[in-house]
Structures are given as C-alpha cells and as structure tokens.
Amino acid sequence: MRKASRLFEIIQILRLATRPMTAAAMAETLEVTVRSIYRDIAALQAMRVPIEGGRGIGYIMRPGFDLPPLMFSVEEMEAIVLSLALLDRTGDEELKQAAKGVNQKITGAVPAPLRQAMERKALYAWGSVAQSPVGLDLGLVRRAIRDEQKLQLDYRDELGRATERRIQPIALIYYSQTANIVAWCELRQAIRNFRSDRVEHCEAADAYFRGEGDRLRQLWTSEWMNTPATATA
C-alpha cells in the first residue's frame, strides 16, 4: 500500500474507532509492520492531525476532526479516472459533458499527490464509441426516470414496424454500441427494452407514474433473475 493511501486509511480507522486502537491492530488491518504504523502516526501528528496516545496504550482521534472534502486514496482516484474514461465512450452527450466537469472539479480540489493520478494519463478505456441516438435525448430519459414522468415514443421494432408507445421509464442500460431504455410499456402491459437507436422521436408526456418506479424496478430485476434478458419492444 502506498504511503499516501496508508495515511488516509489510518485516519479513517481512528475516526470510526470507538476505543483506542493499538498500532498492532492497525498494522494487522493494513497488512504492514507495526514499525510502519508508528512512523505514519508520527507523520500525521507532524501534520497537526489531532491523534493522541502512545505505544502500548493505543491511539485515538480527538473529536471534531474531519478530512478535507474529496479526500480519496490513490486507488479510488484511479477508479474515478477509469470510470470517467468509460463514460466518455457512451452516446450520452449530456453525461459526457458532466464527466468533464467532474474531472475538472476533482482535479482542482484534491491534494497534489492525488491530482497526479488524474493528470498522468496512464489508464485508458478502449473499444468502439457508441453513437449518439438521432431521435432521442438520453438526458431527457434520465430526467424522466428521476421524476417518474412518462415518455411518448415513435419507435420501430426489430422488424422495422413503426409504433407509438407510451412508456414509464425505470432504467437505462449502456452498451458499447447503443443504450436500452427499460420501461413499463402501456401498450404491451409489461416491462420492455427499447433500443435508443430505434427511437425516431421522444418527448415527455404530461403524465407521471410517481411512487411506482421502485416497484417496477423490483419487478424488472425479479424477471431478469429468472430470464437472462427482458423482452424487447
């Protein structure tokens, strides 16, 4: 474990502890030597982290201390970098712009050692980039899911037949080439998948299904557990 990550973990252990923690107990948790814990405690105290105690009696954190906002471990920063890179390969333009904002905010807020994990460009996501759907704004779908608002679709099924559907959207599944809207279809009276690249037009309906979203997601997940895939529209 890198020293920066270890210091972060020691602070977390002491913040959450309900009794003094010995160096031996922390060393076992972090899989390092007791000597390393003693050095790290001394380094944290030198940085004015309010840790009290000593060898043989254990260490405590004085109440009121909190970590700076957005204090991540190096591994957590690398997870964020890769997640943002994967998000940039979706066809959701609004989320791609949001990802850039997240990157800028985190880079500007974290300490210099962690900022390097964002800036060194050592982790990449590879593969095809999904095209943005022509007849559909995925941002509109995400807002409809949050607000539990119905959507009106002009849709072509897998045989190319044009249909009009009113749906209650409950989830979005992002694939490497497209995105699927998971929704309760009022025409079929069942959960259906709607491929975003088959939607010719989409608009918010002046109708809601508030209070039903969680129930429909539970229905969907229970059906998914029994059958590998939800039926397409």
Side-chain angles (χ1 to χ4, degrees):
M1 181 182 291
R2 296 170 184 264
K3 183 175 180 179
S5 298
R6 198 168 64 242
L7 295 178
F8 172 82
E9 293 298 335
I10 289 172
I11 291 174
Q12 288 290 75
I13 289 171
L14 293 176
R15 285 180 67 239
L16 299 175
T18 57
R19 56 182 176 78
M21 296 293 296
T22 65
M26 288 187 279
E28 182 179 0
T29 299
L30 300 178
E31 299 181 346
V32 297
T33 65
V34 174
R35 187 186 297 268
S36 294
I37 297 297
Y38 287 141
R39 286 198 298 262
D40 292 340
I41 292 290
L44 288 169
Q45 290 172 329
M47 291 186 284
R48 298 186 179 181
V49 177
I51 298 173
E52 297 178 347
R55 301 187 182 194
I57 61 174
Y59 297 91
I60 61 171
M61 180 86 70
R62 284 207 308 267
F65 177 79
D66 206 352
L67 289 169
L70 296 175
M71 186 64 170
F72 300 105
S73 69
V74 173
E75 289 74 19
E76 289 168 339
M77 289 298 296
E78 290 177 339
I80 292 171
V81 169
L82 186 56
S83 299
L84 294 176
L86 289 168
L87 185 57
D88 197 46
R89 309 195 72 74
T90 71
D92 193 323
E93 293 299 326
E94 190 174 84
L95 279 186
K96 288 163 71 172
Q97 290 301 314
K100 294 178 181 178
V102 169
N103 194 317
Q104 293 171 354
K105 288 180 180 178
I106 293 177
T107 301
V110 298
L114 296 180
R115 191 178 305 126
Q116 293 174 3
M118 300 288 288
E119 296 176 340
R120 66 169 55 104
K121 304 296 183 184
L123 299 177
Y124 291 86
W126 199 252
S128 60
V129 179
Q131 297 297 313
S132 300
V134 176
L136 174 67
D137 176 5
L138 290 172
L140 171 65
V141 179
R142 285 186 286 100
R143 287 188 289 276
I145 292 171
R146 293 196 301 267
D147 298 339
E148 296 185 343
Q149 184 173 15
K150 298 182 181 182
L151 295 175
Q152 191 71 35
L153 305 183
D154 292 338
Y155 188 76
R156 289 195 178 272
D157 64 18
E158 57 187 355
L159 299 178
R161 296 173 299 198
T163 62
E164 294 183 2
R165 307 290 183 95
R166 176 164 288 199
I167 64 171
Q168 301 172 21
I170 58 172
L172 264 174
I173 305 174
Y174 290 88
Y175 295 97
S176 59
Q177 295 181 336
T178 186
N180 277 11
I181 307 168
V182 182
W184 177 264
C185 176
E186 296 186 355
L187 176 65
R188 303 299 187 200
Q189 287 295 293
I191 301 271
R192 289 290 186 267
N193 276 349
F194 295 86
R195 286 182 52 133
S196 60
D197 54 356
R198 293 179 184 165
V199 177
E200 297 185 333
H201 180 71
C202 174
E203 62 184 33
D206 189 20
Y208 296 82
F209 57 103
R210 286 175 177 152
E212 290 294 303
D214 288 340
R215 182 187 66 81
L216 290 173
R217 274 183 288 275
Q218 290 175 357
L219 175 63
W220 169 51
T221 53
S222 65
E223 289 181 352
W224 185 85
M225 291 293 290
N226 294 324
T227 56
T230 305
T232 56

